[in-house]
Amino acid sequence: MEMNEPTQSKYDAALGKYNTRLDDAAIAAEVAGIIAKKREEYNTPDVKKFLFSCIDLTTLRSEDNDESVMRFTQNVNRFDEEYPDLKNVAAICVYPNFAEIVRDTLEVEDVQIACVSGGFPSSQTFTEVKIAETAMALADGATEIDIVIPVGKFLAGDYEAMCDEIEELKDTCKTHRLKVILETGALKTAGNIKKASILAMYAGADFIKTSTGKQQPAATPEAAYVMCQAIKEYYELTGRRVGFKPAGGLNTVEDALTYYTIVREVLGEEWLNNFYFRLGTSRLANLLLSDILGQETKFF
């Protein structure tokens, strides 16, 4: 080896174990085939009830305030009373400054309190600020944290800075689950999405998530497919099971069924529970509930 030949970084070595040279057109065709072949088969009341139980019921508006978040949380309490035969949503997802309000208002045992953190949605702030924000959210009652990768660092090839930050935030979360948002619309290519998925999992993500919902395009079936393939390959190589969460742009029951179909066909039944599969949305809750009940319902 010549003296000045660069050594491969541990991040490049990690990526080298996977195929990240993907053909976007081939992936789009593969996904379209799976959806055309399988989605209708899963269009059943039981699947829709399951999907409802995987929702991270989300309010991330500039207009949110203590009172509106309290009402939002009370709806989840009320759902348990009014629909005792249906499983409630998986989590309530809010900004960190509302964690305490949700904790003090929430009466349903199995519903998690998720907070977006780390300079959401742009991730453009100091790592120290991200750590402090995350620690404060957890101290106030958050049980799960959703962060965004530093997309700019990733696209510049600074994998070390990206991974170090995820590791530090996972260390802050300790046993609490860390969901890492890739912002797939900004990554543009299937190859980039695969690389970001692998690096996020390598750095300690408990979940990988498509989008913030604040940037377009948000979740797409193609991005979901690439991420689920990455999760599967990572599990086969390491034995560690990582969750998947599409978010942003989930506007119809068909959208929810599309993501269910991809998870079922790529990852299999072991991922079909709300520990490993979530849907980040607000509007979809009423649509799914209306479909399940057979009448238009604006509950949330």
Side-chain angles (χ1 to χ4, degrees):
M1 187 168 127
E2 290 179 28
M3 291 296 288
N4 59 357
E5 191 178 317
T7 54
Q8 189 185 41
S9 79
K10 62 180 179 178
Y11 307 104
D12 289 321
L15 290 173
K17 295 173 183 172
Y18 303 85
N19 174 25
T20 58
R21 294 189 174 194
L22 304 179
D23 181 325
D24 290 74
I27 297 238
E30 218 164 312
V31 174
I34 290 170
I35 294 164
K37 190 176 170 189
K38 288 286 187 179
R39 187 174 68 181
E40 205 42 49
E41 185 183 319
Y42 301 135
N43 187 358
T44 68
D46 282 349
V47 167
K48 288 167 189 169
K49 287 175 188 174
F50 165 72
L51 287 165
F52 184 85
S53 77
C54 294
I55 288 176
D56 281 2
L57 193 68
T58 304
T59 182
L60 297 171
R61 304 175 309 145
S62 301
E63 309 93 294
D64 288 343
N65 56 49
D66 288 358
E67 195 181 323
S68 71
V69 171
M70 188 183 292
R71 283 198 307 271
F72 191 75
T73 307
Q74 284 166 341
N75 281 338
V76 174
N77 294 340
R78 201 161 55 84
F79 182 86
D80 241 31
E81 294 159 20
E82 293 194 25
Y83 299 103
D85 297 338
L86 289 176
K87 207 168 169 212
N88 214 319
V89 296
I92 294 173
C93 183
V94 294
Y95 279 113
N97 46 311
F98 297 117
E100 189 174 11
I101 294 283
V102 178
R103 181 190 64 193
D104 292 348
T105 308
L106 186 62
E107 293 163 3
V108 186
E109 272 185 24
D110 295 338
V111 176
Q112 300 299 313
I113 302 169
C115 283
V116 294
S117 183
F120 179 95
S122 70
S123 191
Q124 297 285 25
T125 188
F126 303 100
T127 300
E128 295 84 351
V129 171
K130 296 179 183 185
I131 290 166
E133 184 181 27
T134 300
M136 290 170 78
L138 292 163
D140 273 0
T143 59
E144 300 179 342
I145 295 291
D146 291 36
I147 62 158
V148 187
I149 66 165
V151 175
K153 288 190 172 76
F154 170 80
L155 291 173
D158 191 353
Y159 301 150
E160 185 174 6
M162 170 192 156
C163 290
D164 282 354
E165 189 170 277
I166 294 170
E167 283 173 18
E168 288 195 60
L169 289 167
K170 178 55 192 168
D171 191 50
T172 306
C173 289
K174 298 188 169 58
T175 57
H176 296 286
R177 299 172 84 208
L178 180 67
K179 304 196 203 89
V180 177
I181 303 164
L182 306 183
E183 200 65 290
T184 51
L187 301 183
K188 303 283 194 256
T189 68
N192 276 343
I193 293 167
K194 181 90 176 266
K195 285 180 186 174
S197 298
I198 291 158
L199 291 171
M201 293 186 286
Y202 177 78
D206 298 300
F207 249 85
I208 52 175
K209 174 177 167 183
T210 56
S211 323
T212 59
K214 305 292 185 187
Q215 182 164 332
Q216 297 306 320
T220 65
E222 294 77 19
Y225 179 79
V226 172
M227 290 168 71
C228 287
Q229 286 285 5
I231 290 168
K232 182 182 183 180
E233 291 170 27
Y234 182 81
Y235 174 68
E236 286 168 353
L237 208 64
T238 66
R240 191 164 81 84
R241 203 186 298 275
V242 173
F244 171 65
K245 178 179 171 181
L250 276 65
N251 297 325
T252 65
V253 173
E254 285 69 31
D255 289 340
L257 289 168
T258 292
Y259 292 110
Y260 175 90
T261 303
I262 291 166
V263 170
R264 184 163 186 147
E265 293 300 309
V266 176
L267 290 170
E269 302 234 353
E270 294 88 347
W271 270 264
L272 290 177
N273 55 69
N274 71 8
F275 193 79
Y276 289 114
F277 180 41
R278 297 286 179 81
L279 300 162
T281 184
S282 49
R283 62 176 70 85
L284 189 59
N286 283 328
L287 294 171
L288 269 171
L289 188 58
S290 299
D291 199 301
I292 291 161
L293 299 174
Q295 61 186 61
E296 192 179 351
T297 309
K298 286 196 165 66
F299 188 89
F300 294 101

